[in-house]
Amino acid sequence: MCGISGIIETNKKVQIDKKYQIEQVNKTMSHRGPDSRGCWIDNKNRVGFGHCRLSIIDLSDSANQPMISENGRFVITFNGEIYNFEKLKNDLAKYLNVKGINSDTKILLEYISVFGINKTLKKIEGMYAFGLWDKIEKNLILINDRAGIKPIYWCYLNNIFFFASELAGFKKIFNNLQIDSDSLSNYLRHGYIPAPWTIFKNVRKFQPASFLNFSSTNQITTKQYWDFDEKKEEYKFSEKKIIDSTENILKQAVSNCMISDVQVASFLSGGIDSSLITALMNEFSSSKVKTFTIGFQDKNYDESIYSKKISKHLKTDHNEMIISSKDLLNVIPKISEIYSEPFADSSQIPTFILSQYTSKSVKVALSGD
């Protein structure tokens, strides 16, 4: 995952130091992207983008962000992965010299330049959240993926429009954020704060398949650009066809998620989901799949025995960490730094410990959910 951010100031009587502020926001998100930090500023149009990069596809500096299109019109800050970027690259080859371009972000940016944002959204497959600045129209577009996997938070307050991957950066931009009592009630009712609300007043988070436009006249328009309910007539199949096609769909999904220039591992709990994904990964990997699991000293909660059995059967390179109640308690004071806002999923602590343990060896791990 990467960290993205952007700022537009609309009070022409005051000029804030956007470079400094974006750099401060980048610091709050450095854990999302430790490989490089980028900052792009256009003082004339009072706009700036930030980026913290976790390099997965195209590890070279040429894929660092924010990134400007070849025609100079668009600037992008992107988080996620475009799975079908090679196919998009072939489409682009009729219009541009794409030889040597290995970055999915670069392909996405040039695809938008050539075909426009609407056609691009119909073509791309992946998990993503990005900000796009149009130098000609002088407007900002924010978009996330159809499932809402990648986060975007945004706010327009005190003549400043700001967006970021996490809420922590908002505290660097706005010094008067307040807890939203309605959101707090939602949290106590549901155990989480549903989109579009957040724990802070005036700050919103994207719902799945969201499209936001901040125009040159400071107008904000939002829409949902894709809705399964509208498309479900296209997906009416017989039960037999659904059952027969499930394996191929899963294989395609796992294969897509393994497109990477770094090693891809698996979180293996021993349950059905993670065991199935790990088994399919074995089909696409030329080397032993690295699997990671955590177990508990308290045998009432320990499932590591099952992951060991699955690992032995699949012949994976298995890695295991046994944790104590003390390890769990040590994470609790860090929770507010790890997560943008409160939610009551009890797995958040072991998930963090597992991620921390796995990150010492690999950058990417698939999980079953």
Side-chain angles (χ1 to χ4, degrees):
M1 64 181 178
C2 299
I4 64 171
S5 63
I7 188 170
I8 301 175
E9 52 177 335
T10 59
N11 184 352
K12 295 182 179 180
K13 296 179 180 179
V14 179
Q15 182 83 281
I16 61 175
D17 189 342
K18 291 176 290 298
K19 185 174 187 298
Y20 172 79
Q21 290 193 301
I22 288 294
E23 287 174 348
Q24 293 303 303
V25 172
N26 278 349
K27 286 180 182 179
T28 70
M29 297 193 296
S30 59
H31 56 280
R32 296 183 68 92
D35 294 325
S36 74
R37 295 183 196 170
C39 181
W40 170 84
I41 302 295
D42 179 350
N43 280 318
K44 180 180 178 182
N45 291 298
R46 299 171 173 267
V47 59
F49 278 176
H51 192 268
C52 295
R53 184 184 179 204
L54 182 71
S55 51
I56 305 299
I57 295 177
D58 188 354
L59 309 184
S60 70
D61 290 346
S62 64
N64 287 347
Q65 298 180 51
M67 188 180 289
I68 302 173
S69 62
E70 290 295 319
N71 62 10
R73 176 174 178 175
F74 297 103
V75 186
I76 195 171
T77 180
F78 175 86
N79 171 31
E81 187 173 347
I82 303 299
Y83 299 137
N84 63 333
F85 79 97
E86 289 288 358
K87 184 179 183 304
L88 301 179
K89 183 177 177 179
N90 291 334
D91 293 343
L92 273 176
K94 302 170 188 175
Y95 303 90
L96 290 175
N97 179 14
V98 294
K99 188 176 181 180
I101 299 180
N102 301 308
S103 163
D104 59 335
T105 305
K106 179 67 171 174
I107 293 299
L108 170 65
L109 180 59
E110 298 307 333
Y111 206 90
I112 293 170
S113 296
V114 172
F115 298 107
I117 191 66
N118 292 324
K119 183 174 181 179
T120 300
L121 287 177
K122 293 177 182 178
K123 291 287 187 178
I124 57 177
E125 300 170 7
M127 53 177 182
Y128 48 84
F130 63 90
L132 184 76
W133 175 253
D134 185 335
K135 292 184 178 181
I136 293 178
E137 297 294 333
K138 294 182 173 32
N139 69 329
L140 168 72
I141 293 172
L142 298 179
I143 292 170
N144 69 341
D145 58 76
R146 293 177 180 183
I149 297 169
K150 294 299 182 182
I152 301 180
Y153 297 87
W154 66 276
C155 178
Y156 186 31
L157 189 64
N158 302 333
N159 295 304
I160 293 174
F161 182 93
F162 178 72
F163 71 90
S165 297
E166 295 184 356
L167 285 179
F170 286 76
K171 298 175 185 177
K172 300 293 183 181
I173 305 298
F174 306 105
N175 56 15
N176 57 345
L177 291 178
Q178 298 177 334
I179 299 295
D180 188 325
S181 57
D182 290 335
S183 293
L184 190 57
S185 297
N186 265 322
Y187 168 65
L188 295 174
R189 183 179 299 116
H190 302 296
Y192 69 97
I193 301 168
W197 299 278
T198 73
I199 193 64
F200 293 123
K201 284 183 179 178
N202 303 310
V203 181
R204 294 291 179 259
K205 62 172 170 270
F206 266 34
Q207 294 173 293
S210 289
F211 182 112
L212 181 150
N213 183 83
F214 188 84
S215 72
S216 58
T217 57
N218 307 332
Q219 298 298 308
I220 299 173
T221 55
T222 60
K223 67 178 181 178
Q224 185 179 4
Y225 67 85
W226 186 90
D227 184 354
F228 179 75
D229 283 340
E230 295 177 0
K231 303 287 184 180
K232 62 184 178 183
E233 293 300 322
E234 301 175 20
Y235 301 107
K236 280 194 172 180
F237 303 119
S238 67
E239 182 179 353
K240 183 179 185 304
K241 184 170 183 179
I242 291 171
I243 292 170
D244 291 344
S245 62
T246 296
E247 182 176 354
N248 289 332
I249 292 170
L250 286 170
K251 283 182 175 180
Q252 185 62 57
V254 171
S255 175
N256 286 344
C257 291
M258 292 182 70
I259 297 171
S260 172
D261 291 330
V262 297
Q263 187 175 18
V264 179
S266 172
F267 288 163
L268 181 60
S269 68
I272 293 173
D273 296 342
S274 66
S275 299
L276 175 60
I277 287 174
T278 305
L280 293 175
M281 289 177 71
N282 259 347
E283 294 191 25
F284 301 108
S285 180
S286 57
S287 58
K288 274 190 173 184
V289 174
K290 275 184 174 289
T291 51
F292 293 83
T293 189
I294 55 171
F296 298 92
Q297 289 180 353
D298 186 338
K299 297 304 177 185
N300 292 319
Y301 299 98
D302 186 36
E303 297 179 342
S304 62
I305 183 173
Y306 305 115
S307 58
K308 277 182 182 176
K309 288 181 178 180
I310 297 296
S311 170
K312 186 176 180 181
H313 176 74
L314 295 176
K315 298 180 174 59
T316 69
D317 178 4
H318 196 53
N319 301 265
E320 182 184 273
M321 178 185 187
I322 304 298
I323 62 176
S324 65
S325 56
K326 182 180 179 182
D327 295 321
L328 296 171
L329 290 170
N330 286 341
V331 174
I332 291 176
K334 305 173 186 176
I335 288 293
S336 62
E337 299 174 14
I338 298 168
Y339 299 103
S340 277
E341 55 187 348
F343 71 107
D345 186 342
S346 60
S347 69
Q348 60 181 288
I349 296 176
T351 299
F352 169 72
I353 294 174
L354 176 60
S355 300
Q356 193 175 44
Y357 170 53
T358 304
S359 68
K360 295 175 182 177
S361 304
V362 296
K363 282 185 173 182
V364 180
L366 307 188
S367 66
D369 195 3

